[in-house]
Structure formats: C-alpha cells, structure tokens
Amino acid sequence: MIADRCKGLPLALQVLGSSLFGRTIDVWKSALEKLKAIPNNEILQRLRISYNALQDNPDDQNLFLHLHASLSEREKIILLGCLVTVDENQKVSMHQMICDMGREIVHLGSKEPEKRSRLWNDTDSFNVLREKSGTETIEGLGLDMHMHSVNTPWGDSDEMVFKTTAFAKMPKLRLLHLSHVRFKGCYEEFPKGLRCWLEFPLKSLPSDLPLERLVYLELPHSNVRQVFKGIKYLPSLKNVDLGHSHCLTEISNFSLVPNLESLVLEDCSSLVDVHESIGNLNRLVYLNLKGCKKIRKLPKNLFNLQSLDTLPLSGCSNVKYQ
C-alpha cells in the first residue's frame, strides 16, 4: 500500500522506508492513512530540491507551477526532466507526489487564496470568482463544477454561471482551466494575457474576447457549431482541440490563425467540409480527423504542406479531394 502511494518513486520510498523501518504494523497503517490526506513533509522537502534547481531560470519554475495544476496540457515541453515527462504523443504527465509538492509551494505563498499565484482548489476558485476578489497575483485558475464538487447552493442548471467581471482584477492570468462553468456579460475587461484556456465553456468565440496572446485552446465535447468565424486575428494560437464536438459543422478562415501547429477534430460527427484556407497553415504538424464520418472533401493543398507530419483519417469513409 505504501509502495502504491509512492507509485514507484525511489526517493519517496527511501524517505518513507527510513521513517517506518522497525515500527509496528499499527504505525505503518497510521502513516498510510495520514499520507493519503497529507503529503509527507520530508518527502516534499527533498523533492523540492529538484524544483529549487531551476532557480536560475524563473520561467521554468513558473512553467512547472502551471503544469502541476493542469496535466492535460499538451504543449511540446522538453524540459524539467526530473519533474515532468512527455510521452510520444506529447502528453504531459507528472507523479502525484510532484503535484503535491507544486501545490504545497503555491499554498505556502499566502494563507489567503486570492493572493496565491495559482488557484487549483475548486472551493477557493469558486469563492474568488463569486466574490470577485481576484488579484493581480493570480496567474492560473482551475475550477471543476462537475458533479457539484463545490459545496454550494444550486439552481436549475448543472453548471455555475459567473459574471465575466469576476476576472477584471486578474490582469496576469495566463492559464484558465474550467469545467461545467458558464459566464454572462461582456469580455472587454477579460485578462488580455491569457495563453492557455482548457475546457472552454462557450458555444462560440465572442468577438470582444481578447485572445491575441492565446496559445492553447481546448473545446472537447463542446456545443460549438462554428469556429474562427468573426473572430480577431490570433497570431499566437498554436493548439486547438475540438474533439468530440458533435454540433460542429464548419471551420472557416484559417487565415486568422496562421501559426496553428495542432488541430484535433476527432469524432466531430457533423463536420462536412474543411475550408481550403487550411492549406496555408505552413506550421501545421498534426491534424486529427479520425471518426469524422460525414466529412466529404479535403482541399488538395492540404497535402502539399511540408510541415504536416500526422493525419489520422480512419472512419472518414466519405472523404473526397478537391
């Protein structure tokens, strides 16, 4: 059981083994129960050595603190080898005890949630958004309202609605990860430096939403019908995930996202066409069309893209080429 909790991490096994060697079975059981609820302080202190080793590069430290709160991020990160691993599918993973360390580092920053650099606890995030108590310290915020994970009164909807002005006092917000959360109001005061938005909750991209610096946008299982129509120029956007969005029928005007590198359209069962402007995406490396059973045509210029490395087409039985 102790080994399971440590998940094979040698350093964690060494620290726990030393502290429990020669102790009774009752002490072992007690330690296990405590470990489930509270990370072992000695382990976290030793693991933090790896984090402190990054002190010569503050950007790397900030990246790690972002990642510990959002492990679904699929950016191509080839660093922090002792803390983060990236598999062959570019999926970022992190040992649970490393996550615990990251959260502990953030938690020690302040006793007041709104003064911490990242908010990963659902209750803390909920209260900050509800009370509009955010500050310029906050760089990352995550909130999952699925299955009513936050203890709060609910209305008729199974999603929580916040006012967009709740983000007005968070000018340094870079990472936003939301699930089963909706907004109302205009987006003019929304943080302009947002670079990564996961679990995007809207049905379309509002024209007044400042996304000029956005790098990663995730809309899986969404109700969006159209994307890239009527939006502003998004020169920084590199990764878009629209997988399993069954209402999606149209993707147009790829000229607004000229630096796109990865586009996931897997199981977009209502998608019929892919706009010919996709052939102008000279940086596109990955395009997933798997399971798009209604798609009828693909532009010929798509296959002229020298950068395109992966193009899954299984399940696209009706596809034809222009």
Side-chain angles (χ1 to χ4, degrees), residues 27-96:
V27 174
W28 279 72
K29 289 180 179 180
S30 176
L32 179 59
E33 292 303 315
K34 291 179 180 179
L35 193 59
K36 289 179 180 179
I38 304 174
N40 184 288
N41 288 332
E42 187 178 355
I43 292 175
L44 292 183
Q45 288 302 317
R46 294 196 184 186
L47 291 178
R48 187 162 178 169
I49 294 174
S50 296
Y51 171 79
N52 291 338
L54 300 172
Q55 60 185 354
D56 291 336
N57 193 335
D59 290 338
D60 285 356
Q61 286 188 327
N62 281 330
L63 177 57
F64 164 70
L65 292 179
H66 274 320
L67 288 176
H68 92 269
S70 177
L71 297 183
S72 63
E73 186 174 356
R74 277 167 277 187
E75 290 183 299
K76 298 180 180 179
I77 302 162
I78 309 176
L79 47 85
L80 309 182
C82 56
L83 298 174
V84 178
T85 60
V86 185
D87 65 18
E88 59 183 7
N89 296 317
Q90 307 302 318
K91 183 177 181 180
V92 178
S93 61
M94 186 182 296
H95 193 283
Q96 182 57 48

Side-chain angles (χ1 to χ4, degrees), residues 215-234:
V215 175
Y216 189 93
L217 179 64
E218 183 174 291
L219 300 86
H221 304 278
S222 69
N223 293 319
V224 295
R225 296 181 179 276
Q226 298 177 332
V227 290
F228 305 148
K229 188 173 184 178
I231 64 171
K232 299 177 181 178
Y233 187 61
L234 303 181

Side-chain angles (χ1 to χ4, degrees), residues 250-261:
E250 180 183 355
I251 304 177
S252 60
N253 206 358
F254 284 99
S255 61
L256 296 174
V257 288
N259 295 309
L260 199 64
E261 297 178 359

Side-chain angles (χ1 to χ4, degrees), residues 238-257:
K238 294 183 178 181
N239 302 275
V240 174
D241 186 349
L242 296 160
H244 312 284
S245 295
H246 296 158
C247 296
L248 182 67
T249 59
E250 180 183 355
I251 304 177
S252 60
N253 206 358
F254 284 99
S255 61
L256 296 174
V257 288

Side-chain angles (χ1 to χ4, degrees), residues 114-318:
E114 63 271 17
K115 293 183 180 179
R116 297 173 188 159
S117 61
R118 283 88 178 164
L119 293 177
W120 50 266
N121 180 276
D122 288 332
T123 300
D124 290 341
S125 298
F126 174 85
N127 290 332
V128 166
L129 292 180
R130 181 189 59 181
E131 298 168 9
K132 300 181 182 180
S133 58
T135 67
E136 63 177 11
T137 304
I138 299 175
E139 297 181 32
L141 185 146
L143 176 58
D144 183 359
M145 303 300 291
H146 185 51
M147 299 298 291
H148 303 176
S149 59
V150 176
N151 185 19
T152 180
W154 295 91
D156 297 331
S157 174
D158 63 350
E159 294 183 325
M160 190 62 197
V161 180
F162 294 99
K163 293 183 178 179
T164 54
T165 51
F167 293 93
K169 296 180 181 179
M170 306 183 203
K172 295 183 180 180
L173 189 67
R174 300 291 182 269
L175 169 64
L176 189 57
H177 191 172
L178 304 172
S179 180
H180 291 257
V181 176
R182 291 187 291 117
F183 301 120
K184 63 178 180 180
C186 65
Y187 290 84
E188 293 179 354
E189 297 184 44
F190 218 73
K192 294 178 173 58
L194 198 63
R195 295 181 63 81
C196 183
W197 193 330
L198 307 176
E199 300 285 336
F200 191 85
L202 306 177
K203 293 184 178 181
S204 61
L205 297 176
S207 59
D208 60 344
L209 186 61
L211 296 176
E212 288 80 4
R213 298 183 183 179
L214 192 69
V215 175
Y216 189 93
L217 179 64
E218 183 174 291
L219 300 86
H221 304 278
S222 69
N223 293 319
V224 295
R225 296 181 179 276
Q226 298 177 332
V227 290
F228 305 148
K229 188 173 184 178
I231 64 171
K232 299 177 181 178
Y233 187 61
L234 303 181
S236 300
L237 191 60
K238 294 183 178 181
N239 302 275
V240 174
D241 186 349
L242 296 160
H244 312 284
S245 295
H246 296 158
C247 296
L248 182 67
T249 59
E250 180 183 355
I251 304 177
S252 60
N253 206 358
F254 284 99
S255 61
L256 296 174
V257 288
N259 295 309
L260 199 64
E261 297 178 359
S262 174
L263 176 60
V264 177
L265 299 173
E266 182 176 356
D267 189 36
C268 290
S269 54
S270 297
L271 185 64
V272 176
D273 299 321
V274 176
H275 196 272
E276 61 180 5
S277 59
I278 196 172
N280 298 325
L281 298 179
N282 295 321
R283 297 177 182 268
L284 189 65
V285 175
Y286 182 81
L287 173 61
N288 188 344
L289 295 172
K290 184 178 179 180
C292 295
K293 57 186 179 182
K294 288 188 177 180
I295 199 166
R296 295 193 304 255
K297 58 184 179 180
L298 291 176
K300 289 183 179 180
N301 57 4
L302 171 64
F303 300 94
N304 294 328
L305 291 177
Q306 296 182 357
S307 60
L308 190 61
D309 179 69
T310 306
L311 178 60
L313 290 172
S314 60
C316 301
S317 56
N318 295 317

